[in-house]
Amino acid sequence: MNVSSYYERKKKNGLKFRLSFVLLFVFASFIACFAIYMKSGEVPEKPDTEIVSITELESTEEEERTSTADINPIAESAARDESYFDSCMFAGDSLIVGLGAYGLIPEDRIAANIGMSVMSINTTPLTEPDGTEILAAEKINAAAPENLYILLGLNQLGSYTDEQLLAAYGDFIDSIDREKTNIYIISVPPVTGERETDEDRPILNSDIDNFNSDLLKFANNRCVYYLDLNTVLKGSDGRFREDYAEADGIHFMKSTYRIMLDFLLTHVYGE
């Protein structure tokens, strides 16, 4: 037997065995690494989350608001066009009645009577064109306007305390469905200097100003919007401008109603 050839064959077989073992180890390592990679590459399932829109967040913020002191009186905004009033109603006394009388606002968007006051609006019904009677709040809630503008307070000012007037004002606001309707309180307008000195029924602008100051606080506490129309209608003397007023020193000329409506269109919250 050739010893050298025997050891050479044995050496070759050993090399083949070690090479096979190395290849097997490399293959096994590759399989293990691939499995780890695939497992780590799996996209975890995302937990169910509720998507909340910006509008919903803003709505929630408004629902949680406890005062409007930070936004009242409502500041000037971008002007809305006349179609804005299609989604509005107006409640109040003869000053609101004039909007319909001059054809500026349709009668079905008005809930007002001559002589109406905050002390009577909750109990005295309106008389509709067909002769039927309905309370102002019932008419408003049936129409469900997006916005309600209220102008009340001059009638019976001085006959009751501000606290009594505002308590009745609060009862009226509470009767409105505020889930559907935003409420804007319009400040009581001024009167002319001549009306302040009227012998039979004088009305003082100082009394109106004091009431409006309380009305602003009331609006803040009730979380409704407040519009300072009073200042817009005053002259440099702090009284109702003569060229804006009818002869009685209280009621508006038609051109004054246009000033009022333009003011409302440029003082819309959130615009």
Side-chain angles (χ1 to χ4, degrees):
M1 175 183 232
N2 189 329
V3 177
S4 61
S5 62
Y6 169 78
Y7 280 107
E8 286 177 0
R9 288 196 301 271
K10 190 173 181 180
K11 186 177 180 181
K12 289 180 179 179
N13 291 336
L15 289 173
K16 290 180 179 179
F17 174 78
R18 287 196 293 271
L19 181 60
S20 298
F21 179 81
V22 171
L23 291 175
L24 180 61
F25 177 79
V26 171
F27 180 75
S29 299
F30 175 79
I31 295 298
C33 291
F34 182 77
I36 294 172
Y37 171 79
M38 291 299 294
K39 186 174 182 180
S40 64
E42 290 179 1
V43 178
E45 291 184 3
K46 292 184 178 179
D48 292 334
T49 57
E50 182 180 356
I51 299 176
V52 181
S53 67
I54 294 176
T55 301
E56 289 173 330
L57 288 173
E58 291 175 345
S59 176
T60 300
E61 180 182 351
E62 289 302 312
E63 290 174 0
E64 294 176 351
R65 180 183 284 278
T66 58
S67 172
T68 45
D70 59 321
I71 60 174
N72 282 333
I74 300 300
E76 186 173 359
S77 62
R80 300 293 297 268
D81 59 38
E82 292 287 332
S83 63
Y84 167 77
F85 289 132
D86 294 341
S87 63
C88 301
M89 285 191 71
F90 296 80
D93 52 30
S94 55
L95 292 174
I96 295 298
V97 171
L99 288 170
Y102 281 119
L104 299 171
I105 299 293
E107 293 288 350
D108 63 350
R109 313 303 295 176
I110 293 175
N113 267 347
I114 293 174
M116 186 71 79
S117 73
V118 294
M119 304 303 296
S120 61
I121 196 167
N122 298 305
T123 56
T124 302
L126 309 172
T127 302
E128 297 290 80
D130 61 1
T132 60
E133 294 186 339
I134 187 172
L135 288 175
E138 293 175 351
K139 181 175 182 178
I140 293 163
N141 289 334
E146 183 177 343
N147 301 292
L148 171 65
Y149 289 89
I150 307 172
L151 178 50
L152 285 168
L154 187 58
N155 291 331
Q156 298 187 339
L157 183 65
S159 299
Y160 293 87
T161 65
D162 288 0
E163 290 76 13
Q164 290 173 314
L165 294 172
L166 293 174
Y169 217 132
D171 291 340
F172 179 57
I173 286 177
D174 289 342
S175 65
I176 303 301
D177 185 353
R178 294 182 61 182
E179 290 187 1
K180 299 177 180 177
T181 302
N182 300 314
I183 295 177
Y184 287 82
I185 289 178
I186 303 174
S187 61
V188 176
V191 296
T192 61
E194 185 175 352
R195 185 63 195 226
E196 284 191 300
T197 58
D198 185 83
E199 293 183 1
D200 297 326
R201 294 185 58 194
I203 301 173
L204 300 181
N205 279 297
S206 59
D207 290 340
I208 294 175
D209 292 343
N210 289 335
F211 179 74
N212 280 335
S213 178
D214 289 337
L215 189 59
L216 171 58
K217 297 174 185 176
F218 169 83
N220 293 339
N221 293 333
R222 287 291 184 140
C223 272
V224 298
Y225 305 135
Y226 179 88
L227 295 171
D228 185 15
L229 178 65
N230 178 283
T231 300
V232 175
L233 301 180
K234 279 181 176 177
S236 58
D237 61 355
R239 298 178 175 86
F240 195 16
R241 288 179 47 164
E242 298 282 352
D243 55 331
Y244 286 177
E246 293 285 2
D248 65 359
I250 296 176
H251 290 93
F252 297 178
M253 299 180 67
K254 185 176 182 178
S255 57
T256 309
Y257 279 109
R258 187 65 265 168
I259 293 170
M260 170 185 169
L261 293 178
D262 288 344
F263 175 76
L264 301 188
L265 290 173
T266 55
H267 290 76
V268 179
Y269 177 66
E271 292 300 312

